[in-house]
Amino acid sequence: MLEKFGTVAVILAAALTFVGSAPTLADHSDIVVSQAWSRATPKGAKVAGGYLTIENRGTSPDRLLSASSPAAAKVEVHQMTMQDGIMTMRPLEEGLAIPPDGIVTLAPGGNHIMFVGLTAPLEEGQRIPVSLNFQRAGTIEATFDVGSVGAKGPRLQIASTEAASPAAPPALKANATSVTNEPFFTHLCGTRVMADITVTPGHSGPVEVLVQLYDGEERPLNVDGLSVTLANPDKGIPPATASATRVAADKWRVSMMTAASGKWSLALGIDMTKDDRINIAAPILIE
């Protein structure tokens, strides 16, 4: 009898040891990821921004620690901050905090995901798989929808049902009209220079182009001079170049004219020094 009891005790102890060492499975129920999107990139581009909304429905804080994707050699979580009137961009080494019962939105011009070392240019209509690694929720698989070069947000998904309200189309049209007054934001990346570019407003007519420069280590970059060139060959509009005015150590501004809507080419001529000039360009969308 004692021998039998001893055998049961050994089995029970082994079972308890196994349960205690079992890995904790990630609980995704509190974290909801939605509206994940990116923009198409020009040929030769090595970086792209990613944007999404993260909702924490739980009572405990969480943190987005890192991300990875087969579309890029490296995926970083970037923070945009203002320091002494200068906007800076840097990777969040300790991750992005997601407060309990809170919503965090990563959007153009603010905190964002950065795809570094793209394996191929992103094309409109693609769906990019990304693994998001959270401190509490573990790994959540997300899909980033790639919009147009000038996309300003995720694609609008409309459920088609027989009971759809006939009043919906006018509301969508009104919303689309309001979007045209928003600025256009894009990120350019060269081998030695990166630039955040904001075109305000994002429609045809007089516009202001604001350029923020960074070096290869994503630190604010001070250069000798900067020029901006706009062209629209599809509309027969030849290139127009204007010298930008320095408004901060790494920030430049210039006013120009976009005479028509459509896809434009925006090029930066960056004078690193007197004899060292870098040219980078990308398409922008003017509505």
Side-chain angles (χ1 to χ4, degrees):
M1 181 67 179
L2 290 175
E3 182 180 352
K4 182 177 181 180
F5 176 77
T7 302
V8 172
V10 170
I11 295 174
L12 179 59
L16 289 173
T17 301
F18 176 78
V19 171
S21 62
T24 301
L25 298 178
D27 180 9
H28 296 175
S29 59
D30 290 342
I31 295 295
V32 177
V33 175
S34 62
Q35 297 183 325
W37 65 285
S38 184
R39 292 191 181 112
T41 59
K43 184 178 179 180
K46 295 300 181 183
V47 300
Y51 317 104
L52 72 160
T53 297
I54 304 171
E55 180 180 1
N56 185 352
R57 297 179 178 177
T59 57
S60 300
D62 207 333
R63 188 173 291 272
L64 175 59
L65 298 176
S66 63
S68 61
S69 172
K74 182 168 58 174
V75 182
E76 299 176 342
V77 184
H78 280 201
Q79 180 186 48
M80 302 286 283
T81 58
M82 187 70 71
Q83 298 178 355
D84 299 326
I86 300 175
M87 184 167 287
T88 61
M89 177 178 65
R90 65 181 181 85
L92 283 171
E93 302 295 343
E94 297 182 358
L96 178 67
I98 315 297
D101 195 27
I103 297 177
V104 175
T105 299
L106 283 70
N111 295 345
H112 57 277
I113 297 291
M114 181 65 76
F115 299 98
V116 182
L118 293 175
T119 56
L122 302 187
E123 299 181 359
E124 184 176 357
Q126 277 186 314
R127 306 192 74 207
I128 306 301
V130 177
S131 297
L132 302 170
N133 304 311
F134 291 85
Q135 189 174 51
R136 292 178 61 87
T139 300
I140 296 179
E141 302 298 335
T143 300
F144 283 61
D145 291 324
V146 180
S148 65
V149 168
K152 295 180 179 178
R155 295 179 181 178
L156 182 63
Q157 301 294 331
I158 305 176
S160 176
T161 65
E162 295 180 0
S165 170
L172 293 175
K173 183 177 180 181
N175 183 58
T177 301
S178 64
V179 169
T180 61
N181 294 321
E182 295 181 358
F184 176 91
F185 176 86
T186 191
H187 182 86
L188 293 183
C189 183
T191 56
R192 297 163 56 196
V193 178
M194 293 188 294
D196 288 337
I197 300 173
T198 305
V199 181
T200 308
H203 59 73
S204 58
V207 297
E208 180 181 84
V209 181
L210 183 65
V211 181
Q212 180 97 26
L213 297 175
Y214 307 88
D215 64 13
E217 300 297 323
E218 300 180 1
R219 298 170 299 196
L221 178 64
N222 189 344
V223 299
D224 286 353
L226 177 76
S227 64
V228 178
T229 300
L230 288 175
N232 190 331
D234 293 341
K235 298 289 179 67
I237 301 175
T241 301
S243 297
T245 301
R246 187 195 302 270
V247 294
D250 59 338
K251 187 181 296 184
W252 300 76
R253 178 183 289 121
V254 64
S255 296
M256 303 185 72
M257 176 69 72
T258 54
S261 60
K263 184 182 292 185
W264 287 67
S265 171
L266 186 149
L268 301 180
I270 305 168
D271 294 319
M272 304 291 286
T273 62
K274 182 179 179 181
D275 301 316
D276 185 7
R277 184 178 178 85
I278 294 176
N279 297 295
I280 55 177
I284 64 172
L285 185 68
I286 299 296
E287 295 179 334

PDB file of all heavy atoms in Angstrom, residues 122-150:
ATOM      1  N   LEU A 122       7.454  48.684 -52.592  1.00  0.00           N
ATOM      2  CA  LEU A 122       6.071  48.366 -52.260  1.00  0.00           C
ATOM      3  C   LEU A 122       5.172  48.854 -53.383  1.00  0.00           C
ATOM      4  O   LEU A 122       5.304  49.984 -53.853  1.00  0.00           O
ATOM      5  CB  LEU A 122       5.672  49.022 -50.933  1.00  0.00           C
ATOM      6  CG  LEU A 122       6.508  48.655 -49.704  1.00  0.00           C
ATOM      7  CD1 LEU A 122       5.877  49.257 -48.446  1.00  0.00           C
ATOM      8  CD2 LEU A 122       6.655  47.152 -49.555  1.00  0.00           C
ATOM      9  N   GLU A 123       4.242  48.020 -53.798  1.00  0.00           N
ATOM     10  CA  GLU A 123       3.354  48.348 -54.903  1.00  0.00           C
ATOM     11  C   GLU A 123       1.909  48.428 -54.421  1.00  0.00           C
ATOM     12  O   GLU A 123       1.491  47.658 -53.543  1.00  0.00           O
ATOM     13  CB  GLU A 123       3.469  47.313 -56.023  1.00  0.00           C
ATOM     14  CG  GLU A 123       4.869  47.228 -56.633  1.00  0.00           C
ATOM     15  CD  GLU A 123       4.935  46.201 -57.745  1.00  0.00           C
ATOM     16  OE1 GLU A 123       3.890  45.550 -58.012  1.00  0.00           O
ATOM     17  OE2 GLU A 123       6.015  46.050 -58.353  1.00  0.00           O
ATOM     18  N   GLU A 124       1.175  49.360 -54.992  1.00  0.00           N
ATOM     19  CA  GLU A 124      -0.223  49.538 -54.609  1.00  0.00           C
ATOM     20  C   GLU A 124      -0.995  48.221 -54.783  1.00  0.00           C
ATOM     21  O   GLU A 124      -0.858  47.542 -55.792  1.00  0.00           O
ATOM     22  CB  GLU A 124      -0.865  50.633 -55.452  1.00  0.00           C
ATOM     23  CG  GLU A 124      -2.292  50.944 -55.060  1.00  0.00           C
ATOM     24  CD  GLU A 124      -2.873  52.102 -55.842  1.00  0.00           C
ATOM     25  OE1 GLU A 124      -2.141  52.712 -56.652  1.00  0.00           O
ATOM     26  OE2 GLU A 124      -4.079  52.394 -55.653  1.00  0.00           O
ATOM     27  N   GLY A 125      -1.775  47.883 -53.793  1.00  0.00           N
ATOM     28  CA  GLY A 125      -2.550  46.647 -53.831  1.00  0.00           C
ATOM     29  C   GLY A 125      -1.883  45.482 -53.116  1.00  0.00           C
ATOM     30  O   GLY A 125      -2.534  44.466 -52.855  1.00  0.00           O
ATOM     31  N   GLN A 126      -0.599  45.612 -52.794  1.00  0.00           N
ATOM     32  CA  GLN A 126       0.089  44.549 -52.059  1.00  0.00           C
ATOM     33  C   GLN A 126      -0.425  44.464 -50.625  1.00  0.00           C
ATOM     34  O   GLN A 126      -0.976  45.425 -50.086  1.00  0.00           O
ATOM     35  CB  GLN A 126       1.602  44.809 -52.019  1.00  0.00           C
ATOM     36  CG  GLN A 126       2.366  44.350 -53.238  1.00  0.00           C
ATOM     37  CD  GLN A 126       3.863  44.513 -53.023  1.00  0.00           C
ATOM     38  OE1 GLN A 126       4.335  45.528 -52.554  1.00  0.00           O
ATOM     39  NE2 GLN A 126       4.610  43.476 -53.366  1.00  0.00           N
ATOM     40  N   ARG A 127      -0.219  43.308 -50.016  1.00  0.00           N
ATOM     41  CA  ARG A 127      -0.535  43.112 -48.600  1.00  0.00           C
ATOM     42  C   ARG A 127       0.726  42.577 -47.936  1.00  0.00           C
ATOM     43  O   ARG A 127       1.196  41.485 -48.273  1.00  0.00           O
ATOM     44  CB  ARG A 127      -1.718  42.166 -48.425  1.00  0.00           C
ATOM     45  CG  ARG A 127      -2.959  42.596 -49.222  1.00  0.00           C
ATOM     46  CD  ARG A 127      -4.183  41.814 -48.792  1.00  0.00           C
ATOM     47  NE  ARG A 127      -4.661  42.271 -47.495  1.00  0.00           N
ATOM     48  CZ  ARG A 127      -5.334  41.495 -46.639  1.00  0.00           C
ATOM     49  NH1 ARG A 127      -5.550  40.220 -46.928  1.00  0.00           N
ATOM     50  NH2 ARG A 127      -5.762  41.980 -45.485  1.00  0.00           N
ATOM     51  N   ILE A 128       1.293  43.352 -47.008  1.00  0.00           N
ATOM     52  CA  ILE A 128       2.589  43.038 -46.423  1.00  0.00           C
ATOM     53  C   ILE A 128       2.386  42.401 -45.040  1.00  0.00           C
ATOM     54  O   ILE A 128       1.820  43.020 -44.138  1.00  0.00           O
ATOM     55  CB  ILE A 128       3.437  44.313 -46.280  1.00  0.00           C
ATOM     56  CG1 ILE A 128       3.551  45.033 -47.627  1.00  0.00           C
ATOM     57  CG2 ILE A 128       4.807  43.971 -45.727  1.00  0.00           C
ATOM     58  CD1 ILE A 128       4.177  44.205 -48.712  1.00  0.00           C
ATOM     59  N   PRO A 129       2.863  41.156 -44.842  1.00  0.00           N
ATOM     60  CA  PRO A 129       2.743  40.528 -43.515  1.00  0.00           C
ATOM     61  C   PRO A 129       3.772  41.105 -42.550  1.00  0.00           C
ATOM     62  O   PRO A 129       4.940  41.274 -42.903  1.00  0.00           O
ATOM     63  CB  PRO A 129       3.021  39.047 -43.812  1.00  0.00           C
ATOM     64  CG  PRO A 129       3.897  39.059 -45.029  1.00  0.00           C
ATOM     65  CD  PRO A 129       3.484  40.258 -45.837  1.00  0.00           C
ATOM     66  N   VAL A 130       3.333  41.399 -41.348  1.00  0.00           N
ATOM     67  CA  VAL A 130       4.216  41.957 -40.319  1.00  0.00           C
ATOM     68  C   VAL A 130       3.908  41.273 -38.988  1.00  0.00           C
ATOM     69  O   VAL A 130       2.739  41.120 -38.611  1.00  0.00           O
ATOM     70  CB  VAL A 130       4.021  43.482 -40.173  1.00  0.00           C
ATOM     71  CG1 VAL A 130       4.907  44.024 -39.049  1.00  0.00           C
ATOM     72  CG2 VAL A 130       4.334  44.197 -41.486  1.00  0.00           C
ATOM     73  N   SER A 131       4.959  40.855 -38.282  1.00  0.00           N
ATOM     74  CA  SER A 131       4.806  40.285 -36.942  1.00  0.00           C
ATOM     75  C   SER A 131       5.068  41.387 -35.918  1.00  0.00           C
ATOM     76  O   SER A 131       6.153  41.983 -35.911  1.00  0.00           O
ATOM     77  CB  SER A 131       5.789  39.132 -36.734  1.00  0.00           C
ATOM     78  OG  SER A 131       5.519  38.064 -37.631  1.00  0.00           O
ATOM     79  N   LEU A 132       4.076  41.668 -35.081  1.00  0.00           N
ATOM     80  CA  LEU A 132       4.190  42.686 -34.044  1.00  0.00           C
ATOM     81  C   LEU A 132       4.395  41.984 -32.702  1.00  0.00           C
ATOM     82  O   LEU A 132       3.580  41.142 -32.308  1.00  0.00           O
ATOM     83  CB  LEU A 132       2.928  43.544 -34.005  1.00  0.00           C
ATOM     84  CG  LEU A 132       2.567  44.258 -35.315  1.00  0.00           C
ATOM     85  CD1 LEU A 132       1.177  44.882 -35.215  1.00  0.00           C
ATOM     86  CD2 LEU A 132       3.608  45.316 -35.657  1.00  0.00           C
ATOM     87  N   ASN A 133       5.462  42.330 -32.016  1.00  0.00           N
ATOM     88  CA  ASN A 133       5.817  41.639 -30.779  1.00  0.00           C
ATOM     89  C   ASN A 133       5.510  42.534 -29.576  1.00  0.00           C
ATOM     90  O   ASN A 133       6.138  43.586 -29.398  1.00  0.00           O
ATOM     91  CB  ASN A 133       7.300  41.264 -30.797  1.00  0.00           C
ATOM     92  CG  ASN A 133       7.650  40.418 -32.013  1.00  0.00           C
ATOM     93  OD1 ASN A 133       6.966  39.445 -32.296  1.00  0.00           O
ATOM     94  ND2 ASN A 133       8.696  40.794 -32.719  1.00  0.00           N
ATOM     95  N   PHE A 134       4.548  42.104 -28.753  1.00  0.00           N
ATOM     96  CA  PHE A 134       4.117  42.863 -27.585  1.00  0.00           C
ATOM     97  C   PHE A 134       4.663  42.227 -26.311  1.00  0.00           C
ATOM     98  O   PHE A 134       4.881  41.018 -26.245  1.00  0.00           O
ATOM     99  CB  PHE A 134       2.590  42.923 -27.518  1.00  0.00           C
ATOM    100  CG  PHE A 134       1.970  43.755 -28.598  1.00  0.00           C
ATOM    101  CD1 PHE A 134       1.695  43.210 -29.848  1.00  0.00           C
ATOM    102  CD2 PHE A 134       1.644  45.091 -28.370  1.00  0.00           C
ATOM    103  CE1 PHE A 134       1.121  43.967 -30.855  1.00  0.00           C
ATOM    104  CE2 PHE A 134       1.067  45.852 -29.365  1.00  0.00           C
ATOM    105  CZ  PHE A 134       0.804  45.301 -30.614  1.00  0.00           C
ATOM    106  N   GLN A 135       4.847  43.052 -25.298  1.00  0.00           N
ATOM    107  CA  GLN A 135       5.385  42.580 -24.026  1.00  0.00           C
ATOM    108  C   GLN A 135       4.458  41.577 -23.352  1.00  0.00           C
ATOM    109  O   GLN A 135       4.910  40.549 -22.837  1.00  0.00           O
ATOM    110  CB  GLN A 135       5.631  43.782 -23.110  1.00  0.00           C
ATOM    111  CG  GLN A 135       6.385  43.459 -21.835  1.00  0.00           C
ATOM    112  CD  GLN A 135       6.718  44.726 -21.056  1.00  0.00           C
ATOM    113  OE1 GLN A 135       5.855  45.551 -20.789  1.00  0.00           O
ATOM    114  NE2 GLN A 135       7.981  44.882 -20.707  1.00  0.00           N
ATOM    115  N   ARG A 136       3.155  41.859 -23.338  1.00  0.00           N
ATOM    116  CA  ARG A 136       2.194  40.979 -22.676  1.00  0.00           C
ATOM    117  C   ARG A 136       1.443  40.097 -23.674  1.00  0.00           C
ATOM    118  O   ARG A 136       1.254  38.916 -23.436  1.00  0.00           O
ATOM    119  CB  ARG A 136       1.185  41.804 -21.872  1.00  0.00           C
ATOM    120  CG  ARG A 136       1.786  42.515 -20.661  1.00  0.00           C
ATOM    121  CD  ARG A 136       0.737  43.359 -19.953  1.00  0.00           C
ATOM    122  NE  ARG A 136      -0.376  42.556 -19.463  1.00  0.00           N
ATOM    123  CZ  ARG A 136      -0.395  41.945 -18.278  1.00  0.00           C
ATOM    124  NH1 ARG A 136       0.635  42.072 -17.456  1.00  0.00           N
ATOM    125  NH2 ARG A 136      -1.438  41.224 -17.901  1.00  0.00           N
ATOM    126  N   ALA A 137       1.020  40.660 -24.763  1.00  0.00           N
ATOM    127  CA  ALA A 137       0.177  39.923 -25.712  1.00  0.00           C
ATOM    128  C   ALA A 137       0.961  38.961 -26.588  1.00  0.00           C
ATOM    129  O   ALA A 137       0.375  38.140 -27.282  1.00  0.00           O
ATOM    130  CB  ALA A 137      -0.599  40.907 -26.593  1.00  0.00           C
ATOM    131  N   GLY A 138       2.301  39.075 -26.569  1.00  0.00           N
ATOM    132  CA  GLY A 138       3.093  38.190 -27.408  1.00  0.00           C
ATOM    133  C   GLY A 138       3.106  38.655 -28.850  1.00  0.00           C
ATOM    134  O   GLY A 138       3.018  39.856 -29.138  1.00  0.00           O
ATOM    135  N   THR A 139       3.207  37.729 -29.775  1.00  0.00           N
ATOM    136  CA  THR A 139       3.302  38.066 -31.199  1.00  0.00           C
ATOM    137  C   THR A 139       1.923  38.078 -31.841  1.00  0.00           C
ATOM    138  O   THR A 139       1.165  37.113 -31.724  1.00  0.00           O
ATOM    139  CB  THR A 139       4.196  37.060 -31.935  1.00  0.00           C
ATOM    140  OG1 THR A 139       5.505  37.094 -31.369  1.00  0.00           O
ATOM    141  CG2 THR A 139       4.288  37.397 -33.415  1.00  0.00           C
ATOM    142  N   ILE A 140       1.624  39.168 -32.516  1.00  0.00           N
ATOM    143  CA  ILE A 140       0.367  39.303 -33.260  1.00  0.00           C
ATOM    144  C   ILE A 140       0.710  39.511 -34.724  1.00  0.00           C
ATOM    145  O   ILE A 140       1.504  40.393 -35.067  1.00  0.00           O
ATOM    146  CB  ILE A 140      -0.477  40.467 -32.725  1.00  0.00           C
ATOM    147  CG1 ILE A 140      -0.911  40.192 -31.281  1.00  0.00           C
ATOM    148  CG2 ILE A 140      -1.694  40.717 -33.614  1.00  0.00           C
ATOM    149  CD1 ILE A 140      -1.733  41.304 -30.666  1.00  0.00           C
ATOM    150  N   GLU A 141       0.133  38.694 -35.582  1.00  0.00           N
ATOM    151  CA  GLU A 141       0.372  38.809 -37.018  1.00  0.00           C
ATOM    152  C   GLU A 141      -0.590  39.834 -37.618  1.00  0.00           C
ATOM    153  O   GLU A 141      -1.799  39.749 -37.415  1.00  0.00           O
ATOM    154  CB  GLU A 141       0.196  37.453 -37.704  1.00  0.00           C
ATOM    155  CG  GLU A 141       1.097  36.346 -37.168  1.00  0.00           C
ATOM    156  CD  GLU A 141       2.579  36.640 -37.367  1.00  0.00           C
ATOM    157  OE1 GLU A 141       2.909  37.402 -38.296  1.00  0.00           O
ATOM    158  OE2 GLU A 141       3.394  36.114 -36.587  1.00  0.00           O
ATOM    159  N   ALA A 142      -0.045  40.799 -38.339  1.00  0.00           N
ATOM    160  CA  ALA A 142      -0.857  41.845 -38.973  1.00  0.00           C
ATOM    161  C   ALA A 142      -0.542  41.891 -40.457  1.00  0.00           C
ATOM    162  O   ALA A 142       0.513  41.421 -40.899  1.00  0.00           O
ATOM    163  CB  ALA A 142      -0.585  43.202 -38.325  1.00  0.00           C
ATOM    164  N   THR A 143      -1.452  42.450 -41.224  1.00  0.00           N
ATOM    165  CA  THR A 143      -1.260  42.614 -42.655  1.00  0.00           C
ATOM    166  C   THR A 143      -1.414  44.094 -42.996  1.00  0.00           C
ATOM    167  O   THR A 143      -2.442  44.699 -42.701  1.00  0.00           O
ATOM    168  CB  THR A 143      -2.282  41.795 -43.454  1.00  0.00           C
ATOM    169  OG1 THR A 143      -2.130  40.411 -43.124  1.00  0.00           O
ATOM    170  CG2 THR A 143      -2.059  41.968 -44.947  1.00  0.00           C
ATOM    171  N   PHE A 144      -0.386  44.677 -43.599  1.00  0.00           N
ATOM    172  CA  PHE A 144      -0.398  46.078 -43.989  1.00  0.00           C
ATOM    173  C   PHE A 144      -0.818  46.189 -45.454  1.00  0.00           C
ATOM    174  O   PHE A 144      -0.156  45.642 -46.336  1.00  0.00           O
ATOM    175  CB  PHE A 144       0.986  46.697 -43.796  1.00  0.00           C
ATOM    176  CG  PHE A 144       1.329  47.013 -42.359  1.00  0.00           C
ATOM    177  CD1 PHE A 144       1.394  46.011 -41.405  1.00  0.00           C
ATOM    178  CD2 PHE A 144       1.591  48.317 -41.968  1.00  0.00           C
ATOM    179  CE1 PHE A 144       1.710  46.288 -40.080  1.00  0.00           C
ATOM    180  CE2 PHE A 144       1.901  48.615 -40.648  1.00  0.00           C
ATOM    181  CZ  PHE A 144       1.955  47.600 -39.704  1.00  0.00           C
ATOM    182  N   ASP A 145      -1.927  46.885 -45.702  1.00  0.00           N
ATOM    183  CA  ASP A 145      -2.391  47.112 -47.064  1.00  0.00           C
ATOM    184  C   ASP A 145      -1.617  48.281 -47.668  1.00  0.00           C
ATOM    185  O   ASP A 145      -1.529  49.358 -47.065  1.00  0.00           O
ATOM    186  CB  ASP A 145      -3.884  47.432 -47.076  1.00  0.00           C
ATOM    187  CG  ASP A 145      -4.732  46.228 -46.691  1.00  0.00           C
ATOM    188  OD1 ASP A 145      -4.355  45.113 -47.071  1.00  0.00           O
ATOM    189  OD2 ASP A 145      -5.763  46.416 -46.028  1.00  0.00           O
ATOM    190  N   VAL A 146      -1.065  48.094 -48.847  1.00  0.00           N
ATOM    191  CA  VAL A 146      -0.285  49.137 -49.515  1.00  0.00           C
ATOM    192  C   VAL A 146      -1.213  49.952 -50.407  1.00  0.00           C
ATOM    193  O   VAL A 146      -1.821  49.422 -51.342  1.00  0.00           O
ATOM    194  CB  VAL A 146       0.868  48.542 -50.338  1.00  0.00           C
ATOM    195  CG1 VAL A 146       1.665  49.648 -51.026  1.00  0.00           C
ATOM    196  CG2 VAL A 146       1.776  47.708 -49.444  1.00  0.00           C
ATOM    197  N   GLY A 147      -1.300  51.243 -50.106  1.00  0.00           N
ATOM    198  CA  GLY A 147      -2.116  52.148 -50.901  1.00  0.00           C
ATOM    199  C   GLY A 147      -1.285  52.840 -51.968  1.00  0.00           C
ATOM    200  O   GLY A 147      -0.136  52.463 -52.235  1.00  0.00           O
ATOM    201  N   SER A 148      -1.832  53.867 -52.551  1.00  0.00           N
ATOM    202  CA  SER A 148      -1.142  54.605 -53.599  1.00  0.00           C
ATOM    203  C   SER A 148      -0.006  55.438 -53.022  1.00  0.00           C
ATOM    204  O   SER A 148       0.144  55.560 -51.797  1.00  0.00           O
ATOM    205  CB  SER A 148      -2.129  55.516 -54.327  1.00  0.00           C
ATOM    206  OG  SER A 148      -2.619  56.509 -53.429  1.00  0.00           O
ATOM    207  N   VAL A 149       0.786  56.045 -53.895  1.00  0.00           N
ATOM    208  CA  VAL A 149       1.876  56.907 -53.456  1.00  0.00           C
ATOM    209  C   VAL A 149       1.353  58.031 -52.573  1.00  0.00           C
ATOM    210  O   VAL A 149       1.968  58.409 -51.580  1.00  0.00           O
ATOM    211  CB  VAL A 149       2.619  57.480 -54.680  1.00  0.00           C
ATOM    212  CG1 VAL A 149       3.563  58.604 -54.268  1.00  0.00           C
ATOM    213  CG2 VAL A 149       3.390  56.378 -55.389  1.00  0.00           C
ATOM    214  N   GLY A 150       0.188  58.556 -52.915  1.00  0.00           N
ATOM    215  CA  GLY A 150      -0.368  59.681 -52.167  1.00  0.00           C
ATOM    216  C   GLY A 150      -1.409  59.299 -51.146  1.00  0.00           C
ATOM    217  O   GLY A 150      -2.140  60.171 -50.666  1.00  0.00           O
TER     218      GLY A 150
END
